[in-house]
Amino acid sequence: MRARFLISRLSALGDVVCSLPVAGALKRGFPDCEVVWYADPRFSALVDRCAFVDKVVLASPKVSPTTWPKPEGEFDAALDVQGLFKSAIIVGRSRAKRKVGFHWQREAAGLFSSPVTPDPTSAHVVDQYVDVARAVGGVAARAEFGLSATQEDRQHALSLLAESGIEGDYAVLNPTSAHAAKRWPPSSFAELAAKLHAEGLRCVVIGGKAPADLEAAEAAVRAGGQAIVSLAGKTNLGALVALIEGCKFHVGGDTGSTHIAAALNRPAIGLYSATDPQRTCPYGQIGNCLYEPTGMAQISVEAVRERITRALR
């Protein structure tokens, strides 16, 4: 009988991306298995574009039990890769022979699954997520994301670029983040873009529709002039994947688009201060990161430009 697995990982953007290799590990261990992923509607488009996921179920569990999903059918194992009540309740209500979870369990998540202790060699959070899959028979010598844009996504991204006057090679810059401590100053992005523009490379600024994101993107554009074009707030997730898939390189902090770039094997220049790059760098690209514990503003434009050169070399 075909093996079935349930993955519960609802949010947020970067964390969902970093969890995709869990599905890949299950497919490696059980090539004919069915992988069912419960995802937040805001981020489900990413999971839809993962080659290792067979079915995506939308879920938004809240405090009320009426919002708690009841997974259909039986599963060989259910995996809580988030470790919060909202992800754990889905695993808890499933009919699974085994129920396992990410080792960092909060909000009583441990009542619904058994935590998997990471392998001592799993320093990166991606590898720690994959360890949960390994606990139920998944196989992964190296994490595989299986992420790619659709043709429709690519056409959408190309249209946005054409409308903005971008042809040929371009770089993607992300000055936004949910946390202020993870943001490199817009003025630094503008200065970097000016240097790249002088070398013949245009820069595209991305970000969400949140006021803080739009403000950071607009600040970079105001300071950068013709060197920067902003697509902040204009891309859906599919177009964002395609935009990053086609870029020459990506520059950003510890935020979702940085992890998308790594998942797509694009050079990702990661700028870090509030978080440990050993654990959350763009996967497999620790050498492309800059870390300054005293604050993001202390990372110089010259250092970022040098890291770009090194990454492209």
Side-chain angles (χ1 to χ4, degrees):
M1 184 179 293
R2 186 185 187 192
R4 294 186 79 222
F5 296 96
L6 182 156
I7 297 174
S8 181
R9 176 82 221 198
L10 303 169
S11 58
L13 180 61
D15 300 303
V16 170
V17 175
C18 289
S19 302
L20 294 179
V22 172
L26 293 173
K27 285 291 189 180
R28 284 282 185 184
F30 306 87
D32 297 324
C33 74
E34 179 185 14
V35 175
V36 179
W37 190 302
Y38 278 71
D40 185 306
R42 294 172 297 170
F43 310 110
S44 61
L46 281 171
V47 188
D48 276 328
R49 286 157 178 76
C50 177
F52 305 128
V53 178
D54 300 291
K55 181 180 180 180
V56 180
V57 180
L58 305 184
S60 299
K62 303 291 191 301
V63 175
S64 172
T66 61
T67 66
W68 299 350
K70 178 65 176 177
E72 297 180 358
E74 296 183 353
F75 297 90
D76 291 85
L79 293 70
D80 175 10
V81 195
Q82 189 156 6
L84 293 176
F85 178 82
K86 64 181 182 179
S87 57
I89 194 63
I90 297 170
V91 168
R93 287 169 60 83
S94 70
R95 286 184 288 155
K97 297 174 185 175
R98 294 188 64 187
K99 299 179 181 182
V100 296
F102 185 54
H103 69 97
W104 188 27
Q105 296 185 333
R106 296 143 287 163
E107 301 177 353
L111 297 175
F112 303 98
S113 66
S114 301
V116 174
T117 302
D119 186 277
T121 64
S122 297
H124 199 283
V125 68
V126 168
D127 294 316
Q128 293 177 9
Y129 291 149
V130 171
D131 283 338
V132 181
R134 291 191 182 104
V136 297
V139 175
R142 176 181 171 82
E144 297 179 83
F145 292 84
L147 180 65
S148 63
T150 66
Q151 282 302 112
E152 183 179 354
D153 296 334
R154 294 177 183 123
Q155 286 301 319
H156 187 182
L158 286 173
S159 296
L160 290 172
L161 289 168
E163 291 169 7
S164 300
I166 301 290
E167 296 181 358
D169 289 339
Y170 61 92
V172 169
L173 312 181
N174 189 351
T176 73
S177 174
H179 304 285
K182 295 182 178 182
R183 299 179 199 144
W184 200 40
S187 58
S188 296
F189 275 104
E191 184 180 343
L192 174 66
K195 291 179 180 296
L196 295 172
H197 188 237
E199 298 168 12
L201 186 67
R202 296 290 297 280
C203 292
V204 176
V205 171
I206 59 172
K209 296 180 180 179
D213 284 6
L214 294 175
E215 182 181 343
E218 290 168 5
V221 171
R222 284 195 302 270
Q226 293 184 347
I228 302 180
V229 166
S230 177
L231 294 182
K234 298 179 182 179
T235 59
N236 58 24
L237 277 181
L240 178 64
V241 171
L243 189 67
I244 295 173
E245 184 182 69
C247 76
K248 195 171 181 65
F249 57 85
H250 175 284
V251 181
D254 182 10
T255 192
S257 63
T258 299
H259 298 294
I260 290 175
L264 296 169
N265 290 317
R266 304 311 302 141
I269 313 306
L271 311 179
Y272 286 76
S273 177
T275 49
D276 179 6
Q278 293 290 342
R279 185 175 185 273
T280 61
C281 70
Y283 188 75
Q285 299 194 41
I286 187 65
N288 291 340
C289 293
L290 289 161
Y291 176 57
E292 180 46 71
T294 61
M296 293 285 277
Q298 302 306 311
I299 298 176
S300 71
V301 173
E302 291 74 16
V304 175
R305 185 68 189 89
E306 185 276 331
R307 203 56 54 102
I308 291 170
T309 301
R310 182 192 302 182
L312 296 180
R313 188 183 300 140

